[in-house]
Every structure is written in structure tokens, then in C-alpha cells.
Amino acid sequence: MAATSRQASSVSPDAPAPVIVAIDGPSGTGKSSTSRAVAAKLGLSYLDTGAQYRAITWWMLTHDIDVRDAEAVAAAADRPEILSGTDPAEPTITVDGSDASGPIRTQEVTGAVSAVSAVPAVRARITELQRAIAAGAPTGIVVEGRDIGTTVLPDADLKIFLTASPEARAARRGGELKGGGGRPVDLDATREALLKRDAADAGRKTSPLRKADDAVEVDTTELTLEQVIECVVTLVEDKQQAR
């Protein structure tokens, strides 16, 4: 089954050499906002790998695949066609030709994505797609996820691992959820949900969440988003200049 991506525009002759940046870390550390902003500032492509796992999870749910049945999930892993747009200004994701950017953010998908993403056949399928997208990015790319620097792109030019306290992460995620409308967010429940997701991601046998040995760790607890972006931009520019 085809799995493709939309790539950024061609490279100027005077542009810096393409650079592959892997940004890992748990939810609520500012990973997505930082990665998109850094890619936009530096003219790089951008890939949200978490959206891909959400997309395949959403497909499983809408096709009545029992997400608790690893064998059933594995058997269907190659069926959906997932297309990831890599423009940081407007990242898109479609499944079998349909826009999935909204549906993949539902609570139902959130509750099932850890189980689906833990299935080795799913990780193999999505990892293959991610590597193809990164290899084809003409200006370089910022790839964010949970196993990018350790498994997907172990030879990335720069690896960054974002962290933050559970309390800070819950507050940020609660703000995101509240910003989407609906009832006020229970921060304690949000914190527990984040910790549960951390445990699932770190404890899975295939490509667990962990910091790569050569990754630069950035604790975002006391930093504003703008400060985190500035920090990462500096790290990337230093790496570009050193190449």
C-alpha cells in the first residue's frame, strides 16, 4: 500500500546544507509547537510523527478493528494510505484521501493510540514512512516524536530531548484542551493521563520512549515557548554552521 508525503520546495543554491533534526520527548513539553516554529524559522520541512500514529489508530477504530487485539491490528497495519504534509505553516494528514487532522485528536483516539502504536507491525510501517519522508526533504527536516533519535533516525544530525515537570505538562495540555472548547479541564486527571501515557510509551518492548545517548536535553518547565524555540533554533544553526 502506498505511503507518501508532500515535500517542501526546492533548495536555493545559497541555502545551508540540509539538516535532519530529531526532537523527542513526552506530551506537554512543547514538542509540537517548538518543532513547527523552528522548521518555519529555518526553512525546513516538518513532520509530526505522533499524528501518523493517531491516523492509523483512527483508521483502526473506524474500520472496527479491535485495538486491544494486537494480531488484528498487525494484520491491518498495511491497509490505510497515510499522506503527511511537511509544510510547517500548514501540516496536513490524510488517510485514504480524507482529511484526518480533526478526527485524530478525539479522546477515543487518544485513549487507543498507545496500544496501537505498541504493535511492532504498526511501528515498522510508520517508521518506514518516516524515514522516507526525512530522506526526501530537500532543505532538511525537523521530525518530532518519541523514538526519532533512538530508532527512526539514529543518525540524525541533531537530537534534542524536551522534558518538563508533570505539573507543567498537565497545565499546558489542560490549556490546549480548554482552548478547544468544552468543559473546564481537570488538571489532576490530565496529569495522571500524561503519566499513564508516559509509562505505556516507556515500557513498550518496541522502540520505547527514551532519551538518545547523544541527545541534547532541554528542560522546558520554566521556559516560555518563545525561549524554547530560540534555544532550539540556536542549536540547529550551530549544527548547520559546523557542517
Side-chain angles (χ1 to χ4, degrees), residues 191-209:
R191 178 180 180 277
E192 290 306 310
L194 288 172
L195 292 176
K196 183 178 180 180
R197 175 73 190 273
D198 290 350
D201 288 344
R204 65 176 177 242
K205 293 182 179 179
T206 304
S207 302
L209 167 66

Side-chain angles (χ1 to χ4, degrees), residues 113-152:
V113 67
S114 286
V116 172
S117 63
V119 176
V122 170
R123 299 207 74 82
R125 164 80 195 285
I126 299 300
T127 295
E128 180 182 15
L129 172 56
Q130 292 164 359
R131 287 173 175 164
I133 293 172
T139 61
I141 192 168
V142 178
V143 184
E144 59 134 318
R146 287 172 169 78
D147 66 340
I148 309 307
T150 55
T151 301
V152 179

Side-chain angles (χ1 to χ4, degrees), residues 42 54 63 80 88 97 108 121 125 137 150 197 221:
L42 298 178
R54 284 178 170 272
H63 286 75
E108 183 182 19
R125 164 80 195 285
T150 55
R197 175 73 190 273
T221 303

Side-chain angles (χ1 to χ4, degrees), residues 16-225:
V19 61
I20 294 178
V21 182
I23 300 184
D24 289 309
S27 299
T29 56
K31 197 165 67 253
S32 295
S33 298
T34 298
S35 298
R36 283 186 63 180
V38 169
K41 282 179 175 289
L42 298 178
L44 305 177
S45 296
Y46 161 73
L47 178 61
D48 175 1
T49 64
Q52 295 175 314
Y53 284 107
R54 284 178 170 272
I56 199 168
T57 299
W58 174 69
W59 186 92
M60 296 285 174
L61 291 168
T62 57
H63 286 75
D64 297 322
I65 306 297
D66 185 354
V67 296
R68 298 165 298 181
D69 184 342
E71 291 186 2
V73 170
D78 285 334
R79 290 173 57 189
E81 181 180 29
I82 300 171
L83 177 65
S84 298
T86 58
D87 181 352
E90 191 178 0
T92 58
I93 187 155
T94 63
V95 180
D96 293 341
S98 298
D99 178 16
S101 56
I104 67 172
R105 301 298 173 182
T106 64
Q107 192 58 47
E108 183 182 19
V109 172
T110 298
V113 67
S114 286
V116 172
S117 63
V119 176
V122 170
R123 299 207 74 82
R125 164 80 195 285
I126 299 300
T127 295
E128 180 182 15
L129 172 56
Q130 292 164 359
R131 287 173 175 164
I133 293 172
T139 61
I141 192 168
V142 178
V143 184
E144 59 134 318
R146 287 172 169 78
D147 66 340
I148 309 307
T150 55
T151 301
V152 179
L153 300 170
D155 296 323
D157 299 299
L158 175 64
K159 303 174 188 177
I160 297 170
F161 193 86
L162 299 184
T163 65
S165 70
E167 293 74 21
R169 292 166 54 206
R172 292 168 183 168
R173 179 50 56 90
E176 292 173 3
L177 295 173
K178 187 175 181 181
R183 295 173 296 178
V185 174
D186 183 333
L187 292 184
D188 288 337
T190 301
R191 178 180 180 277
E192 290 306 310
L194 288 172
L195 292 176
K196 183 178 180 180
R197 175 73 190 273
D198 290 350
D201 288 344
R204 65 176 177 242
K205 293 182 179 179
T206 304
S207 302
L209 167 66
R210 68 177 179 83
K211 175 188 171 186
D213 293 338
D214 55 346
V216 178
E217 183 170 330
V218 178
D219 187 337
T220 70
T221 303
E222 302 295 334
L223 300 178
T224 64
L225 175 59

